[in-house]
Amino acid sequence: MKPVRLSLATRFNLWFSVVVILLALALFLIAYFLLYRAVQRSDREVVRAQAEIYRAWYAEGGLPALTSRFFEQESGGRETFFLRVLSPQRAALFASVPKNLGALDVSELQDIMPSEAFALVWKTLPADEKSRGWLIETERLPDGGWLQVGKTTEAQTSLLHQFRVVFAWVALVALLFGIAGGAWLTRRALTPVRQLIGTVENVIATGRMNERMPVPYTEDEIGRLTQLFNVMLEKNETLILRMREALDNVAHDLRTPLTRLRGVAELALQGEPNTLTYRDALLDAMEESDRVLTMLNTLMDISEAETGLMKLDLQPFRLDEVVRDAIELFEFVAQEKQITVSTALSPALVVRADRNRLRQVLVNLLDNAIKYSAPGGRVEISAEPRADEVVIRVSDTGTGIPPEEIPRIWERLYRGDKSRSQRGLGLGLSLVRAIINAHGGSIEVQSTVGKGSSFVIRLPKD
Amino acid sequence: MRQTATIERPIMRVLVVEDDKKIASFVARGLKEAGHSVDIADRGDDALDLGLHNHYEVAIVDLMLPGLDGLSLIERWRAQKVKTPVIILSAKRSVDDRIKGLQVGGDDYLTKPFAFSELLARIQALVRRSSQTVEPTTLSYADLTLDLLSREVRRAGKKIELQAREFALLEYLLRNAGRVISKTTILERVWDYNFDPKTNVIDVLVSRLRSKIDRDFDRKLIHTMRGFGYVLKLE
């Protein structure tokens, strides 16, 4: 198989992966944002609760009560919380930073003091080399001073960091699975297509039409395509076989008259030079070549009709008009032989067929009927509609066909004992049958020696 | 107004476009014998120039040509307002090919192999059509006259009764008096059949016509040309 630069499978897979990545990224962003919000809220709640405690202590006994409890009590939180109290003049009265939690640049907190009592302002100081990140609230105390309580955002940061790490791993694994799964899926889905390509390439390379594809069990589009492709191969194969056969037949059938043609010339040249002999031979040769031409045309017609290549101009028309045309052609011939040609047609019977071809069929059958009838005989063309077909019958009171000859009369170039003395190529009935079959109809003959024959055509009503 | 057709043979300039030397010389010789002057082109592009720079009464064009194929040649001529009537010669006999040939501007279509007499008849018919002479209402040859309006046929003043097909055949033979008419052509012109049913209907028709036209007269007009067909002429 010729490699495709960016195969359908690769493109499917690429698209699939891109979609997976984008989807994962979106999920991560949403989850991260939600987590961040949740962590921040819980941190604020902790700070808030602690600030409430400090405010209560301050309310009970002012700064001394607050500081003494801050240092003495277990719940004072001096190991965890940053605490600063400012006077109404914004002078720091008290400040404590947990000693094992590093530095805190309080200058950042100078300008965030709310003016009204009980108002709250939150400030987040991002982490840098010198200090950890801090979450700090500032509130106004009833005496006009300010209370600032803070907590490191360390827990929050490390949680989000872990989340990112975990997610990165999960995303990596998901992506790998996605790519592998995508590859597997597209491969699986495209296997029949690959087989199709392989088969087609094989057919093109070898010219053999007998290859078939394994049809998948599923009834999906690919299965349908495979089936249809097999049907197409089948049809092509039949067509090619038939055409080959037709070509062989035509070649075979032409050899005889061409041999005769050559024979005529050779015979003339063998004797003494003689203008009259030559003239005769040349005339023979011309007639013979005309015969070859007619034969070739008729054989081509038969082959085209048999292989389904004959173009039929299917139109509805009145059958009686065509029958009248055909009979008119033989008017004088029939008169001369004193043969009565009559019709028994259902009035205004319309058939859908190729008008010229059907006329050709009738002309051929009439020609036979008149040819093989003795003077005084009768020929009748009748037609009647049935449920889903039209039956046309051409009957004569002629010599009839012996039963053993009946199956062979349709063969190309077959001529019965009686017809050998008559003019003709032995192709008429083959052409008749081929044309009728090409119309989807059938033809058969009923015949009794000495009494006559009856050719019955059945044409489908569509 | 009644006009009598005379068997006139105007000298024509004919262009034969055919790359098969044998066929070209066969056609050219026949046309010269009939008194016409002939130019031969064996390439389509040469023929294009010849047709553009000379005036021809008729051109005979093969379809398979080196340089420029026949259909394109006709198309180019028609695009350049060359109105010369064109007879297409082709080995393809399908109806589609015929239609295609006539669509691009061909005026008639003749399938190979063909009889020269057939080609000559077609040329004559084409030139008659394109020169737009007044259609004669009476055709005559020797002492035979055929009136196309009253459908009356007389020989040496004696009235002859003909049936429709006999009349049609005689009319066609008279229009082409002196030229040999093939059976295929008769089937086509008299019955409008374009296939060869391999029957003896034409022989029968001709012998009937002959019995009415010739039997009672010493000078026979209808002759059988073995291998070619029939001709109406004075021996």
Side-chain angles (χ1 to χ4, degrees):
Chain A
M1 202 173 110
K2 194 171 61 183
V4 188
R5 210 187 311 159
L6 204 57
S7 76
L8 197 59
T10 316
R11 269 184 293 151
F12 270 163
N13 211 350
L14 221 63
W15 277 108
F16 193 74
S17 308
V18 166
V19 169
V20 165
I21 290 170
L22 287 179
L23 211 66
L25 209 66
L27 272 176
F28 167 76
L29 285 176
I30 292 168
Y32 188 82
F33 176 71
L34 290 176
L35 185 68
Y36 174 79
R37 285 270 301 271
V39 169
Q40 198 181 43
R41 198 165 51 235
S42 81
D43 270 355
R44 283 187 182 191
E45 271 163 16
V46 169
V47 172
R48 243 348 270 133
Q50 199 62 36
E52 282 304 319
I53 294 170
Y54 294 150
R55 172 194 276 281
W57 289 345
Y58 188 85
E60 273 172 32
L63 190 60
L66 173 60
T67 49
S68 67
R69 288 196 189 173
F70 179 70
F71 286 116
E72 281 155 24
Q73 287 195 8
E74 197 74 5
S75 58
R78 64 171 189 279
E79 305 288 322
T80 318
F81 293 96
F82 156 76
L83 173 64
R84 191 160 82 129
V85 181
L86 294 115
S87 69
Q89 292 74 37
R90 300 190 183 213
L93 301 176
F94 173 81
S96 162
V97 179
K99 58 177 173 289
N100 52 350
L101 292 182
L104 171 62
D105 186 4
V106 290
S107 63
E108 297 262 358
L109 305 171
Q110 274 317 107
D111 54 341
I112 50 156
M113 290 161 194
S115 45
E116 311 100 62
F118 306 113
L120 265 183
V121 173
W122 289 97
K123 171 93 177 172
T124 305
L125 301 178
D128 56 32
E129 305 92 62
K130 282 181 285 175
S131 70
R132 301 159 201 247
W134 287 88
L135 175 69
I136 289 157
E137 69 129 272
T138 308
E139 62 182 282
R140 194 89 193 250
L141 289 168
D143 61 2
W146 283 276
L147 175 69
Q148 289 186 317
V149 181
K151 176 181 178 296
T152 61
T153 55
E154 210 173 22
Q156 178 189 339
T157 314
S158 86
L159 182 64
L160 289 175
H161 173 72
Q162 274 179 24
F163 177 76
R164 283 194 302 269
V165 171
V166 167
F167 187 85
W169 280 107
V170 168
L172 190 69
V173 170
L175 191 64
L176 284 177
F177 268 101
I179 291 174
W184 181 75
L185 262 178
T186 47
R187 219 189 146 66
R188 205 180 116 90
L190 290 177
T191 300
V193 178
R194 257 186 261 273
Q195 282 174 343
L196 196 65
I197 293 172
T199 311
V200 176
E201 273 172 337
N202 235 339
V203 169
I204 292 170
T206 61
R208 279 202 310 266
M209 307 290 292
N210 56 357
E211 293 227 12
R212 293 292 178 274
M213 284 184 56
V215 178
Y217 296 112
T218 47
E219 273 295 312
D220 56 9
E221 290 89 340
I222 299 283
R224 189 88 190 98
L225 179 66
T226 312
Q227 275 175 1
L228 285 177
F229 186 74
N230 278 345
V231 170
M232 196 177 81
L233 278 178
E234 188 86 43
K235 277 197 156 181
N236 284 352
E237 193 186 3
T238 329
L239 205 61
I240 286 175
L241 282 179
R242 277 166 157 193
M243 283 178 74
R244 197 169 290 160
E245 195 187 340
L247 201 61
D248 282 352
N249 284 337
V250 170
H252 171 264
D253 295 344
L254 284 179
R255 281 200 184 98
T256 312
L258 285 174
T259 310
R260 228 165 22 221
L261 186 57
R262 196 196 143 83
V264 166
E266 215 171 298
L267 203 66
L269 291 170
Q270 269 169 8
E272 288 295 306
N274 178 328
T275 319
L276 272 179
T277 319
Y278 285 171
R279 197 181 155 72
D280 229 37
L282 284 172
L283 283 170
D284 273 348
M286 230 167 70
E287 279 173 352
E288 201 63 63
S289 69
D290 279 352
R291 267 173 65 90
V292 175
L293 183 65
T294 312
M295 194 176 217
L296 180 63
N297 289 343
T298 316
L299 284 170
M300 290 296 293
D301 276 353
I302 295 174
S303 294
E304 281 182 3
E306 280 177 349
T307 47
L309 294 175
M310 178 178 270
K311 276 194 184 157
L312 295 174
D313 179 21
L314 298 177
Q315 303 281 352
F317 57 84
R318 284 180 59 144
L319 187 64
D320 54 351
E321 290 173 3
V322 172
V323 169
R324 204 183 51 223
D325 272 9
I327 290 177
E328 212 221 301
L329 185 66
F330 293 98
E331 190 187 348
F332 300 138
V333 180
Q335 266 177 34
E336 216 107 308
K337 266 189 103 173
Q338 292 163 356
I339 288 166
T340 323
V341 182
S342 60
T343 57
L345 305 169
S346 300
L349 179 57
V350 171
V351 294
R352 206 176 112 84
D354 186 306
R355 192 187 174 113
N356 275 331
R357 291 299 183 188
L358 191 64
R359 187 173 67 168
Q360 195 174 6
V361 164
L362 292 174
V363 164
N364 267 302
L365 291 178
L366 263 178
D367 187 42
N368 275 345
I370 293 171
K371 214 187 279 176
Y372 298 117
S373 288
R378 287 190 317 277
V379 174
E380 188 191 66
I381 300 185
S382 67
E384 51 173 338
R386 297 271 171 85
D388 50 2
E389 60 187 13
V390 173
V391 179
I392 306 168
R393 198 181 287 264
V394 181
S395 318
D396 63 59
T397 55
T399 49
I401 308 161
E404 68 275 11
E405 278 188 21
I406 285 182
R408 303 200 59 196
I409 56 167
W410 310 108
E411 288 174 18
R412 285 173 309 108
L413 302 172
Y414 177 77
R415 306 189 66 186
D417 288 339
K418 295 219 178 59
S419 65
R420 282 187 202 284
S421 54
Q422 298 279 354
R423 52 191 284 168
L425 296 169
L427 288 173
L429 286 178
S430 315
L431 181 60
V432 163
R433 188 171 69 164
I435 291 174
I436 293 298
N437 287 348
H439 277 85
S442 67
I443 182 166
E444 56 178 31
V445 64
Q446 296 146 1
S447 188
T448 315
V449 175
K451 286 203 158 172
S453 311
S454 185
F455 287 84
V456 184
I457 298 170
R458 290 167 205 280
L459 275 183
K461 280 183 182 171
D462 44 356
Chain B
M1 188 181 78
R2 299 206 159 189
Q3 292 211 349
T4 300
T6 47
I7 310 302
E8 88 280 31
R9 285 289 153 73
I11 289 178
M12 293 190 290
R13 253 187 110 179
V14 183
L15 175 61
V16 176
V17 189
E18 165 68 79
D19 62 327
D20 185 301
K21 294 235 169 0
K22 269 196 181 159
I23 296 177
S25 70
F26 156 69
V27 171
R29 206 168 64 193
L31 287 170
K32 279 174 188 159
E33 271 170 22
H36 307 303
S37 76
V38 182
D39 287 346
I40 296 177
D42 59 0
R43 292 179 58 85
D45 36 10
D46 295 347
L48 183 67
D49 287 343
L50 280 173
L52 289 176
H53 299 116
N54 301 283
H55 176 76
Y56 294 101
E57 269 81 18
V58 69
I60 298 159
V61 176
D62 181 30
L63 284 190
M64 305 269 270
L65 290 169
L68 182 70
D69 72 277
L71 287 181
S72 313
L73 169 66
I74 298 168
E75 239 168 358
R76 298 267 281 272
W77 272 344
R78 294 299 183 245
Q80 306 264 345
K81 306 271 182 283
V82 174
K83 294 207 172 66
T84 311
V86 172
I87 296 178
I88 296 170
L89 280 189
S90 170
K92 296 180 185 169
R93 67 175 190 115
S94 83
V95 180
D96 284 353
D97 292 308
R98 191 179 288 257
I99 290 172
K100 216 184 288 165
L102 299 183
Q103 265 171 356
V104 299
D107 298 271
D108 204 348
Y109 193 103
L110 199 57
T111 312
K112 291 180 189 174
F114 57 91
F116 181 73
S117 55
E118 177 72 24
L119 177 64
L120 206 56
R122 304 262 183 132
I123 292 174
Q124 222 72 47
L126 258 191
V127 171
R128 211 165 38 223
R129 215 192 305 160
S130 68
S131 63
Q132 294 175 336
T133 48
V134 183
E135 266 292 291
T137 55
T138 308
L139 301 171
S140 68
Y141 185 79
D143 53 354
L144 181 70
T145 57
L146 181 147
D147 191 313
L148 289 165
L149 296 178
S150 64
R151 303 188 74 77
E152 212 177 66
V153 178
R154 285 175 185 275
R155 180 149 188 207
K158 204 177 131 200
K159 200 172 164 187
I160 298 169
E161 292 296 334
L162 292 183
Q163 284 187 283
R165 296 294 170 192
E166 294 165 344
F167 186 90
L169 175 60
L170 184 61
E171 180 192 336
Y172 193 72
L173 285 173
L174 265 172
R175 282 189 189 278
N176 295 282
R179 271 195 293 278
V180 183
I181 308 301
S182 71
K183 289 186 184 183
T184 322
T185 311
I186 293 175
L187 260 179
E188 224 176 273
R189 301 294 157 126
V190 178
W191 271 286
D192 191 27
Y193 271 52
N194 52 10
F195 58 89
D196 183 359
K198 273 288 143 199
T199 65
N200 57 340
V201 292
I202 297 149
D203 307 303
V204 172
L205 178 68
V206 170
S207 78
R208 282 179 67 106
L209 184 62
R210 207 179 245 157
S211 72
K212 292 184 178 178
I213 299 290
D214 278 347
R215 197 170 52 200
D216 302 337
F217 299 89
D218 287 337
R219 299 168 78 197
K220 308 297 180 198
L221 287 177
I222 301 171
H223 306 276
T224 306
M225 306 294 288
R226 195 191 146 204
F228 291 95
Y230 302 96
V231 63
L232 184 115
K233 66 174 179 187
L234 275 175
E235 281 287 72

